[in-house]
Amino acid sequence: MTLFFASANANKVRELQQIFPASYELKSLLDLTEVPDIPETAATFSGNALLKVNYLSEHYNVLGFADDSGLEVDALHGAPGVYSARYAGEHGNASANIEKLLRELQHESNRAARFVTVIALKLPNGIHYFEGEIRGTITTEIRGSEGFGYDPVFVPEGHNQTFAEMSKEEKNAISHRGRAVRKLLDFLEQRALH
């Protein structure tokens, strides 16, 4: 079964390809001749995932899903949230985003946070949503070279390594995106769609 993932983020695409079983062919916006820039203008993760999956089906008429993910920090009242990828201004500048986050938390003792992913799957019978979350804490410095985004400053609950210090397999087993994707896969298996 071929499924399209409405993302042009090569890191996310690789991560999902590692989680999906071989019975699926997972394609992304990077497989299209012209990579679209889909605006993420909604105020929620589910709203942005819906915008992306609707764009995918309207413009390309393919079966697919989209995700929107972000980091919510308790001391920052849930920020950066849906603005996680463009927290410091420029979209996708992870080091600037991390610098801004650490700066804003430098005098903060409460460093609790959570990563959230919402996946929207569009089928002929409607939209289906799958959520994944993991709680943890924000470190005071960058640690590790794996992963992407805020991974070098996020230590998941029950662990002492940041996501960026873990192997891809370790991260995928517990991450917010891994949890949401497994719910999506369980749903697809039950539907026997492939």
Side-chain angles (χ1 to χ4, degrees):
M1 179 190 184
T2 301
L3 265 184
F4 260 87
F5 175 38
S7 177
N9 180 326
N11 290 309
K12 275 190 187 182
V13 173
R14 257 195 310 277
E15 199 167 89
L16 262 65
Q17 285 169 336
Q18 288 160 352
I19 299 171
F20 265 75
S23 53
Y24 291 90
E25 183 186 14
L26 189 63
K27 293 193 166 194
S28 73
L29 301 182
L30 300 170
D31 292 301
L32 301 170
T33 45
E34 212 169 284
V35 179
D37 185 20
I38 306 171
E40 296 178 31
T41 52
T44 61
F45 295 120
S46 56
N48 279 331
L50 180 62
L51 283 174
K52 290 188 260 190
V53 80
N54 278 339
Y55 186 99
L56 186 70
S57 71
E58 286 160 20
H59 290 78
Y60 301 99
N61 195 26
V62 291
L63 188 63
F65 66 96
D67 90 317
D68 195 35
S69 303
L71 179 69
E72 296 181 337
V73 180
D74 292 8
L76 302 178
H77 312 289
V82 292
Y83 303 105
S84 292
R86 52 192 184 277
Y87 191 42
E90 182 193 342
H91 192 279
N93 186 339
S95 53
N97 290 336
I98 287 172
E99 276 173 39
K100 180 177 180 181
L101 178 68
L102 293 181
R103 202 167 49 245
E104 293 193 348
L105 289 176
Q106 65 188 20
H107 303 299
E108 194 54 64
S109 56
N110 175 12
R111 302 183 78 85
R114 71 180 192 140
F115 264 129
V116 182
T117 290
V118 178
I119 288 174
L121 169 70
K122 189 165 188 173
L123 295 177
N125 68 351
I127 306 284
H128 304 270
Y129 292 97
F130 308 92
E131 285 189 39
E133 101 166 40
I134 184 161
R135 293 202 63 82
T137 52
I138 303 299
T139 59
T140 53
E141 76 289 308
I142 290 168
R143 292 175 16 205
S145 57
E146 291 296 316
F148 57 95
Y150 295 92
D151 287 356
V153 292
F154 183 84
V155 176
E157 247 173 26
H159 297 264
N160 52 22
Q161 290 181 308
T162 66
F163 270 163
E165 292 174 300
M166 295 179 176
S167 71
K168 290 174 181 66
E169 292 73 25
E170 287 174 302
K171 178 192 168 185
N172 289 343
I174 60 170
S175 78
H176 49 304
R177 192 169 296 107
R179 289 173 176 180
V181 168
R182 278 187 290 279
K183 288 178 185 175
L184 165 71
L185 288 170
D186 286 346
F187 175 84
L188 291 172
E189 294 297 322
Q190 284 162 13
R191 292 281 178 117
L193 280 175
H194 66 290

